[in-house]
Amino acid sequence: MSTLDPAGPAAHTIAQVWNVMAWGALAILIFMLILATLACCRRPAAQERPPLRLFLIGGGLVVPGVVLIALLVFGLRAGDARSPIPGGEDVYRVQVRAHQWWWEVAHPDAPGGPRYAINQIHVPAGVPVHISVTAADVIHGFWIPRLSGKIDAIPGRTNTIKVQADEPGVYDGVCAEFCGLHHTSMGMQLIAHSPTELPDALRGLSDTQVRP
């Protein structure tokens, strides 16, 4: 469930943001260590004055401004990667309703009519998926780390996130918002199938709503 092992476009973008932040922080740390070493080793003349204006403007405004703008650009790109596709005609749809402490899943696009499952989401691999998330009781957090970012499941409101698995496989997810006593046991699985295998997997699900 590592965000640093991405398996979809949105997760790849999030991992890039993390890498930029990590390597950027390392570069700043090394630069500051070099400055500290030079300051410790150098003996300025008695009449020499440090360039305070350079330190204040360069170190206090220019450098932080450049860093924050760069992070903003990468962050906006990461947000766009998980945003639903306008119109959504060419996406697969899944509806998820969070409960204490399980996930109710509906597949309205299943062949032969809607299919229902608990804690399991079946999707086609290599295809954008819109997952609409809401909650029946308290606020939960829907998160499949290897595929996309987090989104809140809020009672009375539906939020939609775009998810895509590049390859068939099983991708674990969790509730990322503390929601009660058994929060840590509120896991889920997204199973990505090849286009030929997905219909059979969906037909094996219930055609009526289910409860644990």
Side-chain angles (χ1 to χ4, degrees):
M1 296 198 346
S2 173
T3 56
L4 301 183
D5 183 22
H12 278 289
T13 306
I14 293 171
Q16 287 177 355
V17 173
W18 188 93
N19 286 324
V20 168
M21 293 179 64
W23 287 107
L26 179 61
I28 293 173
L29 174 62
I30 293 173
F31 178 66
M32 295 306 298
L33 290 175
I34 292 173
L35 289 180
T37 302
L38 292 175
C40 291
C41 296
R42 185 171 179 270
R43 290 181 176 272
Q47 302 299 323
E48 185 179 354
R49 299 185 62 184
L52 296 180
R53 188 182 299 273
L54 175 63
F55 286 143
L56 290 175
I57 297 178
L61 295 176
V62 177
V63 173
V66 171
V67 171
L68 291 175
I69 291 173
L71 289 177
L72 175 62
V73 171
F74 274 88
L76 290 175
R77 184 181 168 207
D80 290 341
R82 67 177 200 157
S83 299
I85 300 174
E89 293 86 359
D90 298 325
V91 300
Y92 182 83
R93 296 178 300 126
V94 177
Q95 298 167 351
V96 175
R97 187 178 179 87
H99 300 259
Q100 292 177 306
W101 291 270
W102 58 285
W103 303 91
E104 177 186 353
V105 181
H107 298 82
D109 293 341
R115 289 291 187 273
Y116 302 90
I118 294 174
N119 299 335
Q120 279 195 347
I121 302 172
H122 296 267
V123 303
V127 174
V129 178
H130 282 183
I131 300 181
S132 299
V133 181
T134 187
D137 33 53
V138 299
I139 297 177
H140 300 267
F142 180 89
W143 188 30
I144 304 175
R146 294 189 63 204
L147 297 183
S148 191
K150 306 173 185 177
I151 194 168
D152 283 339
I154 303 173
R157 176 175 175 177
T158 300
N159 293 324
T160 301
I161 187 170
K162 183 179 67 178
V163 171
Q164 179 175 325
D166 291 334
E167 301 290 341
V170 178
Y171 304 93
D172 292 325
V174 294
C175 175
E177 182 84 21
F178 180 73
C179 57
L181 182 63
H182 299 290
H183 160 73
T184 55
S185 62
M186 192 172 170
M188 75 185 90
Q189 285 187 329
L190 184 144
I191 305 171
H193 303 268
S194 66
T196 57
E197 295 176 346
L198 179 63
D200 291 336
L202 293 174
R203 278 191 285 267
L205 302 179
S206 173
D207 59 357
T208 58
Q209 289 181 296
V210 291
R211 297 185 64 86

